[in-house]
Amino acid sequence: FLGVNGAGKSTTINIMCGQLSKDGGSVVMDAHDLDKDMDFIKRELGVVFQSSVLDSALSVYDNLESRAALYGITGTAFKKRLAELAEILDFEDLLKRAVGKLSGGQRRRIWNVISDFRKNENMTVFLTTHYMEEAADADYVVIIDNGKIAAKGTPLELKNIYTGDYITIYGEEEENIKKLGMEYEKLRNGYRLFVPNTKAATDLIIHNPQLFQDYEITKGKMDDVFLAVTGKTLT
């Protein structure tokens, strides 16, 4: 779910979580309508904030114990659940360590687990991000601009609609590239040309085979898609 600051990302999530009332439309999660079955949705929904809401001075164990108690998980039930989580996240060796002293890699370990849940447990992850490499790995992307959906589709669909392809040619003289009569960008080891689609790239290669001894074709990036859709750069 991509958008610049103020586009409506947080508002959308607050509506999904039942924290804000919506002006119109409908919200359906796991076949349940938010207006009719918010209690079910709240039981199924989990939220992870950009900034950690854990107590950095407490140990991993103490943080989990206090959070579990908020959900009524205490005593033997907590220890059973803790053992399950420790195995899934491989953090048994970190239980006594203060959260504030965990390394960046140890804190991000959960990302791999979430990815596995997506694939193996059929869990939907609704992610807002400023990192385009994360958006490129998504199954589906929605771009929001000024409170409205500006574009949506798989990363490949969006790239095909809103960007073209890039051909990078290596080992050629610049004067030969100029003869193509196309805009190009000079790179350290070659020259990059923009073409509107893969068919145009194929035609260019067929008609100029002498130039294409060493080359590669790449799709546009999600950054290019976002700029084409909104006219803005996501930072």
Side-chain angles (χ1 to χ4, degrees):
F1 196 49
L2 302 177
V4 297
N5 289 338
K9 301 188 302 299
S10 295
T11 299
T12 302
I13 291 174
N14 280 327
I15 291 170
M16 292 167 64
C17 294
Q19 301 299 304
L20 279 179
S21 297
K22 55 185 173 56
D23 297 320
S26 60
V27 178
V28 178
M29 286 185 246
D30 200 10
H32 289 256
D33 191 299
L34 180 144
D35 292 335
K36 300 175 182 176
D37 208 351
M38 191 65 221
D39 287 342
F40 173 86
I41 288 175
K42 284 184 177 179
R43 287 195 298 271
E44 294 297 304
L45 191 68
V47 180
V48 179
F49 299 96
Q50 180 175 353
S51 300
S52 174
V53 292
L54 298 177
D55 191 324
S56 60
L58 293 181
S59 68
V60 172
Y61 182 96
D62 289 341
N63 266 286
L64 292 174
E65 186 178 37
S66 62
R67 266 52 178 189
L70 296 175
Y71 292 89
I73 304 172
T74 59
T76 304
F78 165 69
K79 291 182 178 178
K80 179 176 182 293
R81 185 65 178 137
L82 177 66
E84 293 171 354
L85 283 175
E87 182 178 357
I88 293 171
L89 289 165
D90 189 24
F91 62 56
E92 192 167 0
D93 57 325
L94 304 175
L95 285 173
K96 295 181 180 178
R97 188 174 304 182
V99 165
K101 294 184 178 180
L102 297 179
S103 70
Q106 289 165 339
R107 296 185 195 191
R108 286 192 298 269
R109 193 176 293 177
I110 193 169
W111 270 115
N112 294 331
V113 176
I114 289 174
S115 180
D116 288 341
F117 281 168
R118 275 180 61 207
K119 297 170 185 173
N120 302 324
E121 305 291 337
N122 199 29
M123 184 177 78
T124 298
V125 178
F126 187 91
L127 173 70
T128 64
T129 181
H130 284 179
Y131 296 102
M132 285 301 183
E133 61 270 24
E134 292 176 349
D137 287 337
D139 298 316
Y140 200 78
V141 174
V142 173
I143 296 175
I144 185 172
D145 193 30
N146 291 323
K148 304 288 186 182
I149 292 177
K152 57 185 178 179
T154 67
L156 180 59
E157 287 169 347
L158 292 174
K159 289 176 185 179
N160 284 339
I161 294 170
Y162 294 102
T163 72
D165 291 358
Y166 293 97
I167 305 177
T168 306
I169 301 175
Y170 303 101
E172 270 298 335
E173 299 293 331
E174 186 170 5
E175 61 186 50
N176 293 330
I177 302 296
K178 284 182 179 179
K179 290 176 183 177
L180 293 172
M182 301 174 60
E183 287 189 23
Y184 64 88
E185 177 185 0
K186 190 173 183 179
L187 305 178
R188 188 173 71 174
N189 298 319
Y191 302 90
R192 188 169 75 162
L193 300 82
F194 176 81
V195 289
N197 49 52
T198 306
K199 182 182 183 304
T202 303
D203 291 342
L204 191 65
I205 295 169
I206 290 172
H207 291 103
N208 303 276
Q210 73 283 359
L211 295 180
F212 292 90
Q213 303 303 312
D214 187 7
Y215 68 96
E216 62 181 352
I217 301 176
T218 55
K219 292 280 183 190
K221 297 181 179 179
M222 289 303 298
D223 302 73
D224 303 316
V225 171
F226 190 86
L227 180 61
V229 169
T230 66
K232 303 166 188 173
T233 302
L234 193 60
T235 56

